[in-house]
């Protein structure tokens, strides 16, 4: 959900193409808040149920993603209600990028775990890792192009 929220501002995104900038902004923050609530809640439940969660890279990246989600959420609220400058936009965008990267790395590491590979098979695990990498690159590439164009217009 949070990756789609990032793509809300992309001019190449079909579902948000016809929306005004104000509507895109509204959809973006609503999707980000819902995604953040789901991610933080899910991570908190998982952390409380597993004792050895941070002994593996998957759990460590999940914790990093959860912390960065909180930071990005606070940065988004500051960006929404303060005087929006290039610096606040870049800080919010940077925190969001780091959040997505760490979350997608954690997801790939989860797909690569032995228990997942045994349950779903090698081919499915490899396909899910490839699709996750493809989704991350697509999301970041479009967001980077959109942000660069926006900054160059100033």
């Amino acid at each position: 959900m949070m990756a789609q929220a990032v793509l809300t501002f992309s001019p190449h995104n079909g579902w948000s193409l016809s929306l005004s900038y104000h509507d895109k902004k509204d959809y973006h923050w609503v999707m980000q808040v819902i995604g953040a609530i789901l991610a933080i809640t899910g991570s908190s439940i998982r952390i409380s149920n597993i004792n050895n969660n941070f002994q593996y890279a998957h759990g460590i990246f999940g914790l990093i993603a959860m912390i960065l989600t909180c930071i990005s959420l606070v940065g988004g609220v500051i960006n929404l209600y303060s005087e929006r400058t290039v610096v606040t936009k870049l800080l919010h965008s940077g925190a969001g990028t780091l959040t997505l990267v760490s979350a997608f790395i954690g997801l790939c590491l989860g797909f690569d775990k032995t228990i997942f590979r045994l349950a779903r098979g090698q081919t499915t695990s490899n396909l899910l890792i490839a699709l996750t990498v493809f989704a991350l690159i697509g999301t970041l590439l479009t967001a980077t192009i959109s942000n660069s164009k926006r900054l160059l217009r100033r």
Side-chain angles (χ1 to χ4, degrees), residues 114-130:
T114 305
I115 193 164
F116 188 86
R117 286 189 175 275
L118 288 174
R120 300 292 179 229
Q122 297 292 332
T123 305
T124 302
S125 297
N126 292 338
L127 177 64
L128 289 171
I129 290 169

PDB file of all heavy atoms in Angstrom, residues 114-130:
ATOM      1  N   THR A 114      14.590 -20.575   4.704  1.00  0.00           N
ATOM      2  CA  THR A 114      14.437 -22.006   4.431  1.00  0.00           C
ATOM      3  C   THR A 114      13.002 -22.476   4.634  1.00  0.00           C
ATOM      4  O   THR A 114      12.460 -23.218   3.803  1.00  0.00           O
ATOM      5  CB  THR A 114      15.387 -22.817   5.339  1.00  0.00           C
ATOM      6  OG1 THR A 114      16.718 -22.334   5.148  1.00  0.00           O
ATOM      7  CG2 THR A 114      15.330 -24.286   5.009  1.00  0.00           C
ATOM      8  N   ILE A 115      12.372 -22.027   5.704  1.00  0.00           N
ATOM      9  CA  ILE A 115      11.003 -22.479   5.994  1.00  0.00           C
ATOM     10  C   ILE A 115      10.024 -22.026   4.905  1.00  0.00           C
ATOM     11  O   ILE A 115       9.116 -22.753   4.520  1.00  0.00           O
ATOM     12  CB  ILE A 115      10.551 -22.007   7.393  1.00  0.00           C
ATOM     13  CG1 ILE A 115       9.275 -22.735   7.798  1.00  0.00           C
ATOM     14  CG2 ILE A 115      10.377 -20.502   7.458  1.00  0.00           C
ATOM     15  CD1 ILE A 115       8.964 -22.649   9.271  1.00  0.00           C
ATOM     16  N   PHE A 116      10.237 -20.818   4.356  1.00  0.00           N
ATOM     17  CA  PHE A 116       9.375 -20.338   3.277  1.00  0.00           C
ATOM     18  C   PHE A 116       9.635 -21.140   2.002  1.00  0.00           C
ATOM     19  O   PHE A 116       8.703 -21.528   1.297  1.00  0.00           O
ATOM     20  CB  PHE A 116       9.595 -18.841   3.033  1.00  0.00           C
ATOM     21  CG  PHE A 116       8.602 -18.251   2.078  1.00  0.00           C
ATOM     22  CD1 PHE A 116       7.370 -17.796   2.526  1.00  0.00           C
ATOM     23  CD2 PHE A 116       8.883 -18.161   0.724  1.00  0.00           C
ATOM     24  CE1 PHE A 116       6.434 -17.265   1.641  1.00  0.00           C
ATOM     25  CE2 PHE A 116       7.954 -17.635  -0.168  1.00  0.00           C
ATOM     26  CZ  PHE A 116       6.733 -17.184   0.295  1.00  0.00           C
ATOM     27  N   ARG A 117      10.916 -21.391   1.719  1.00  0.00           N
ATOM     28  CA  ARG A 117      11.261 -22.153   0.515  1.00  0.00           C
ATOM     29  C   ARG A 117      10.724 -23.577   0.579  1.00  0.00           C
ATOM     30  O   ARG A 117      10.291 -24.129  -0.433  1.00  0.00           O
ATOM     31  CB  ARG A 117      12.774 -22.142   0.302  1.00  0.00           C
ATOM     32  CG  ARG A 117      13.280 -20.804  -0.202  1.00  0.00           C
ATOM     33  CD  ARG A 117      14.742 -20.897  -0.608  1.00  0.00           C
ATOM     34  NE  ARG A 117      15.192 -19.650  -1.192  1.00  0.00           N
ATOM     35  CZ  ARG A 117      15.031 -19.323  -2.467  1.00  0.00           C
ATOM     36  NH1 ARG A 117      14.423 -20.133  -3.289  1.00  0.00           N
ATOM     37  NH2 ARG A 117      15.472 -18.165  -2.916  1.00  0.00           N
ATOM     38  N   LEU A 118      10.747 -24.180   1.768  1.00  0.00           N
ATOM     39  CA  LEU A 118      10.200 -25.534   1.919  1.00  0.00           C
ATOM     40  C   LEU A 118       8.681 -25.541   1.743  1.00  0.00           C
ATOM     41  O   LEU A 118       8.115 -26.457   1.156  1.00  0.00           O
ATOM     42  CB  LEU A 118      10.576 -26.112   3.281  1.00  0.00           C
ATOM     43  CG  LEU A 118      12.039 -26.498   3.462  1.00  0.00           C
ATOM     44  CD1 LEU A 118      12.308 -26.916   4.906  1.00  0.00           C
ATOM     45  CD2 LEU A 118      12.446 -27.609   2.495  1.00  0.00           C
ATOM     46  N   ALA A 119       8.024 -24.500   2.262  1.00  0.00           N
ATOM     47  CA  ALA A 119       6.562 -24.441   2.189  1.00  0.00           C
ATOM     48  C   ALA A 119       6.066 -24.078   0.789  1.00  0.00           C
ATOM     49  O   ALA A 119       5.048 -24.605   0.330  1.00  0.00           O
ATOM     50  CB  ALA A 119       6.031 -23.431   3.206  1.00  0.00           C
ATOM     51  N   ARG A 120       6.756 -23.187   0.109  1.00  0.00           N
ATOM     52  CA  ARG A 120       6.274 -22.685  -1.183  1.00  0.00           C
ATOM     53  C   ARG A 120       7.060 -23.176  -2.387  1.00  0.00           C
ATOM     54  O   ARG A 120       6.615 -23.004  -3.514  1.00  0.00           O
ATOM     55  CB  ARG A 120       6.293 -21.147  -1.189  1.00  0.00           C
ATOM     56  CG  ARG A 120       5.434 -20.519  -0.146  1.00  0.00           C
ATOM     57  CD  ARG A 120       3.974 -20.769  -0.456  1.00  0.00           C
ATOM     58  NE  ARG A 120       3.160 -20.184   0.583  1.00  0.00           N
ATOM     59  CZ  ARG A 120       2.178 -20.799   1.208  1.00  0.00           C
ATOM     60  NH1 ARG A 120       1.877 -22.028   0.893  1.00  0.00           N
ATOM     61  NH2 ARG A 120       1.492 -20.203   2.144  1.00  0.00           N
ATOM     62  N   GLY A 121       8.242 -23.717  -2.163  1.00  0.00           N
ATOM     63  CA  GLY A 121       9.054 -24.216  -3.264  1.00  0.00           C
ATOM     64  C   GLY A 121      10.074 -23.193  -3.730  1.00  0.00           C
ATOM     65  O   GLY A 121       9.919 -21.987  -3.531  1.00  0.00           O
ATOM     66  N   GLN A 122      11.111 -23.721  -4.371  1.00  0.00           N
ATOM     67  CA  GLN A 122      12.207 -22.873  -4.842  1.00  0.00           C
ATOM     68  C   GLN A 122      11.749 -21.898  -5.932  1.00  0.00           C
ATOM     69  O   GLN A 122      12.089 -20.720  -5.905  1.00  0.00           O
ATOM     70  CB  GLN A 122      13.350 -23.755  -5.386  1.00  0.00           C
ATOM     71  CG  GLN A 122      13.987 -24.648  -4.359  1.00  0.00           C
ATOM     72  CD  GLN A 122      14.759 -23.864  -3.308  1.00  0.00           C
ATOM     73  OE1 GLN A 122      15.253 -22.776  -3.544  1.00  0.00           O
ATOM     74  NE2 GLN A 122      14.856 -24.430  -2.120  1.00  0.00           N
ATOM     75  N   THR A 123      10.986 -22.402  -6.878  1.00  0.00           N
ATOM     76  CA  THR A 123      10.569 -21.567  -8.005  1.00  0.00           C
ATOM     77  C   THR A 123       9.697 -20.409  -7.545  1.00  0.00           C
ATOM     78  O   THR A 123       9.910 -19.267  -7.961  1.00  0.00           O
ATOM     79  CB  THR A 123       9.805 -22.419  -9.041  1.00  0.00           C
ATOM     80  OG1 THR A 123      10.624 -23.525  -9.415  1.00  0.00           O
ATOM     81  CG2 THR A 123       9.454 -21.613 -10.266  1.00  0.00           C
ATOM     82  N   THR A 124       8.750 -20.687  -6.679  1.00  0.00           N
ATOM     83  CA  THR A 124       7.868 -19.637  -6.173  1.00  0.00           C
ATOM     84  C   THR A 124       8.660 -18.605  -5.369  1.00  0.00           C
ATOM     85  O   THR A 124       8.454 -17.398  -5.533  1.00  0.00           O
ATOM     86  CB  THR A 124       6.748 -20.237  -5.303  1.00  0.00           C
ATOM     87  OG1 THR A 124       6.025 -21.180  -6.087  1.00  0.00           O
ATOM     88  CG2 THR A 124       5.821 -19.170  -4.774  1.00  0.00           C
ATOM     89  N   SER A 125       9.569 -19.078  -4.544  1.00  0.00           N
ATOM     90  CA  SER A 125      10.385 -18.160  -3.743  1.00  0.00           C
ATOM     91  C   SER A 125      11.227 -17.257  -4.638  1.00  0.00           C
ATOM     92  O   SER A 125      11.288 -16.043  -4.432  1.00  0.00           O
ATOM     93  CB  SER A 125      11.299 -18.943  -2.791  1.00  0.00           C
ATOM     94  OG  SER A 125      10.537 -19.668  -1.876  1.00  0.00           O
ATOM     95  N   ASN A 126      11.881 -17.854  -5.638  1.00  0.00           N
ATOM     96  CA  ASN A 126      12.692 -17.063  -6.564  1.00  0.00           C
ATOM     97  C   ASN A 126      11.843 -16.076  -7.355  1.00  0.00           C
ATOM     98  O   ASN A 126      12.256 -14.931  -7.580  1.00  0.00           O
ATOM     99  CB  ASN A 126      13.463 -17.978  -7.514  1.00  0.00           C
ATOM    100  CG  ASN A 126      14.535 -18.767  -6.798  1.00  0.00           C
ATOM    101  OD1 ASN A 126      14.998 -18.382  -5.722  1.00  0.00           O
ATOM    102  ND2 ASN A 126      14.935 -19.887  -7.376  1.00  0.00           N
ATOM    103  N   LEU A 127      10.658 -16.500  -7.766  1.00  0.00           N
ATOM    104  CA  LEU A 127       9.763 -15.605  -8.503  1.00  0.00           C
ATOM    105  C   LEU A 127       9.333 -14.425  -7.620  1.00  0.00           C
ATOM    106  O   LEU A 127       9.324 -13.277  -8.075  1.00  0.00           O
ATOM    107  CB  LEU A 127       8.541 -16.374  -8.999  1.00  0.00           C
ATOM    108  CG  LEU A 127       7.484 -15.547  -9.739  1.00  0.00           C
ATOM    109  CD1 LEU A 127       8.065 -14.969 -11.032  1.00  0.00           C
ATOM    110  CD2 LEU A 127       6.261 -16.395 -10.035  1.00  0.00           C
ATOM    111  N   LEU A 128       8.981 -14.706  -6.369  1.00  0.00           N
ATOM    112  CA  LEU A 128       8.558 -13.632  -5.467  1.00  0.00           C
ATOM    113  C   LEU A 128       9.697 -12.654  -5.181  1.00  0.00           C
ATOM    114  O   LEU A 128       9.475 -11.443  -5.108  1.00  0.00           O
ATOM    115  CB  LEU A 128       8.012 -14.216  -4.166  1.00  0.00           C
ATOM    116  CG  LEU A 128       6.658 -14.916  -4.299  1.00  0.00           C
ATOM    117  CD1 LEU A 128       6.305 -15.645  -3.005  1.00  0.00           C
ATOM    118  CD2 LEU A 128       5.574 -13.919  -4.669  1.00  0.00           C
ATOM    119  N   ILE A 129      10.911 -13.155  -5.048  1.00  0.00           N
ATOM    120  CA  ILE A 129      12.068 -12.275  -4.848  1.00  0.00           C
ATOM    121  C   ILE A 129      12.267 -11.394  -6.078  1.00  0.00           C
ATOM    122  O   ILE A 129      12.462 -10.182  -5.967  1.00  0.00           O
ATOM    123  CB  ILE A 129      13.330 -13.092  -4.528  1.00  0.00           C
ATOM    124  CG1 ILE A 129      13.212 -13.722  -3.133  1.00  0.00           C
ATOM    125  CG2 ILE A 129      14.585 -12.223  -4.615  1.00  0.00           C
ATOM    126  CD1 ILE A 129      14.279 -14.751  -2.822  1.00  0.00           C
ATOM    127  N   ALA A 130      12.197 -12.000  -7.270  1.00  0.00           N
ATOM    128  CA  ALA A 130      12.374 -11.230  -8.513  1.00  0.00           C
ATOM    129  C   ALA A 130      11.285 -10.167  -8.661  1.00  0.00           C
ATOM    130  O   ALA A 130      11.571  -9.017  -9.029  1.00  0.00           O
ATOM    131  CB  ALA A 130      12.371 -12.170  -9.716  1.00  0.00           C
TER     132      ALA A 130
END
